[in-house]
Amino acid sequence: MTPAEVDVLLDQAVRTFDEYRLTTYAERSRHLITAAELLEGEVPDVASILTTEMGKTFAAAKAEVSKSALALRWFADNAERLLSDEAIPTKASKSYVHYQPMGPVLAVMPWNFPLWQVIRFAAPALMVGNVGLLKHASNVPQTALAIEDLFRRAGLPNGAFTNLFVESKDVAALIHDPRIKAVTITGSERAGMSVAAAAGDALKKSVLELGGSDPFIVLPSADLEAAVRTAVNARVQNNGQSCIAAKRFIVHEDVADDFLARFTEAMDALVVGDPFDAATDVGPIVTEVQRDELVHQVEAARAQGAHVHAAPNLPAGDGWYFAPTVVSGVTIDMPIAQEEIFGPVALVLRVPDVDAAIAAANATPFGLGSSVWTNEVGEIARCVEQVDAGAVFVNAMVASTPELPFGGVKTSGYGRELSELGLKEFTNQKTVWIG
């Protein structure tokens, strides 16, 4: 888009917001329910776009479409209740918090869950009464177009949700534009720092959901069979390209050998190939550059003394495929243990006790999700309290769901998406005092 085209769309967003903010929750809810119904009736068609553009398996893409429809319904059903005036007892005859929309919100979104991550921003923003402007990842333009068309067909007015096809270098200028009132980003640390700097300079609210290197702690009392089965799914979901995928498997030495043997066998058994083939477990990496970065990270770990167990089942022919790989003998001081690994590569670290497990879990700049496997009540309590993360899932895989807040600490970002907390992020939380 040219600067003139962007300017027209920003003006339209402001005009639309001035009217849309006055609509009722019931009106907004009807639009989102219609959007959910449209998605539910078009699951294979929309999923095909996702798989074609970024390579996730068709089964995963269909699940993403259905999950997005679920989120639309959840916010449509719950926003009015969660945003109702909140009475606060004071000396006034009446005092309360009143939630109001802020205006046009810019969303800078990534390619790995190109529908879900947009919907989890758009659904609460639209129910609040804000309007959305989407700068999507450059390699998923058809998904971006499909989302804008979805909301248009659902009856939302022009300007309520609009694509801005601009380059990343243009985002800072957009944030500084007075017509945009806030910004949210899901992306890399570097992108998050750039957005946060621009938002701070412009004195605008921002929410950052950035990278992760989630720990998956396995202690001796764990159900090892369930832990291994879940560990495989947690590592290779979305071809391993998920911020909340388990990446560092921190295993107590009493069960480390058994876990490593079972885990490696299960990873080796995964089928890598055409993401449209129902037999495929792991599709291609999104780009050549991303695939080459995985090669570099794994080979660097090998050179530093780690042991690499690579599955011998890469398909022949074109495609940026990468074999599911287990890297054992990893220590927390290795660069690979400090970086985000965006692909089907699992790092296994051996620890002597729960203290060392918690220390290893916290020994990265990240703090997004975490998974802890133990049946000891005391160990559960310690991990919940002491693991630095935005979420702790006990005896379960980390996941996002509309009811629960989603976000991280440290360099994984700040603010929350989803749930009541995410719904209120881009609101004016107005104090009202009636004497």
Side-chain angles (χ1 to χ4, degrees), residues 52-324:
T52 299
E53 288 199 307
M54 61 73 56
K56 66 173 72 227
T57 65
F58 193 45
K62 288 187 288 186
E64 180 174 341
V65 178
S66 297
K67 183 178 180 178
S68 297
L70 177 69
L72 288 165
R73 289 185 179 278
W74 191 86
F75 282 104
D77 291 341
N78 291 281
E80 182 173 10
R81 173 179 59 84
L82 296 173
L83 292 168
S84 61
D85 291 344
E86 182 180 348
I88 306 292
T90 67
K91 295 178 180 179
S93 63
K94 186 177 184 181
S95 52
Y96 57 95
V97 179
H98 180 58
Y99 297 96
Q100 292 182 305
M102 298 177 67
V105 181
L106 174 65
V108 181
M109 291 288 117
W111 48 261
N112 57 333
F113 291 94
L115 179 63
W116 164 246
Q117 285 170 315
V118 175
I119 293 298
R120 77 183 189 192
F121 149 73
L126 291 168
M127 281 306 301
V128 165
N130 292 318
V131 299
L133 295 157
L134 173 64
K135 189 280 182 226
H136 215 329
S138 59
N139 60 324
V140 289
Q142 300 303 319
T143 303
L145 288 169
I147 297 169
E148 186 180 71
D149 181 62
L150 172 72
F151 286 127
R152 184 178 294 113
R153 288 186 292 137
L156 283 159
N158 288 338
F161 187 90
T162 306
N163 284 312
L164 298 180
F165 288 107
V166 297
E167 296 185 55
S168 296
K169 65 180 179 60
D170 300 319
V171 168
L174 285 172
I175 294 171
H176 281 85
D177 191 297
R179 290 168 291 188
I180 288 176
K181 303 305 180 185
V183 60
T184 180
I185 179 173
T186 299
S188 66
E189 291 173 90
R190 182 179 301 175
M193 284 186 263
S194 176
V195 164
D201 190 51
L203 293 177
K204 292 182 181 177
K205 176 67 180 290
S206 60
V207 169
L208 312 182
E209 195 273 279
L210 308 179
S213 184
D214 284 11
F216 188 105
I217 298 172
V218 182
L219 298 172
S221 66
D223 179 338
L224 203 60
E225 181 179 350
V228 170
R229 183 174 61 251
T230 306
V232 174
N233 292 332
R235 176 60 283 214
V236 303
Q237 60 170 310
N238 207 46
N239 303 343
Q241 299 167 125
S242 170
C243 54
I244 56 168
K247 300 180 176 78
R248 295 175 299 128
F249 296 82
I250 300 167
V251 188
H252 192 286
E253 60 187 14
D254 289 355
V255 292
D257 290 340
D258 195 4
F259 176 88
L260 181 61
R262 297 191 197 191
F263 186 43
T264 303
E265 181 181 10
M267 290 283 278
D268 284 351
L270 296 171
V271 176
V272 182
D274 179 0
F276 281 104
D277 188 334
T280 295
D281 299 306
V282 182
I285 302 303
V286 67
T287 63
E288 180 183 13
V289 170
Q290 185 64 43
R291 194 280 310 266
D292 290 349
E293 175 65 15
L294 287 172
V295 173
H296 170 75
Q297 289 174 304
V298 170
E299 290 307 314
R302 192 199 303 270
Q304 291 155 359
H307 184 69
V308 178
H309 315 255
N313 56 354
L314 282 180
D318 293 336
W320 306 120
Y321 294 104
F322 193 92

Side-chain angles (χ1 to χ4, degrees), residues 320-343:
W320 306 120
Y321 294 104
F322 193 92
T325 299
V326 178
V327 183
S328 63
V330 175
T331 57
I332 60 174
D333 58 335
M334 290 182 179
I336 199 170
Q338 297 295 314
E339 302 163 346
E340 182 171 30
I341 311 298
F342 227 56

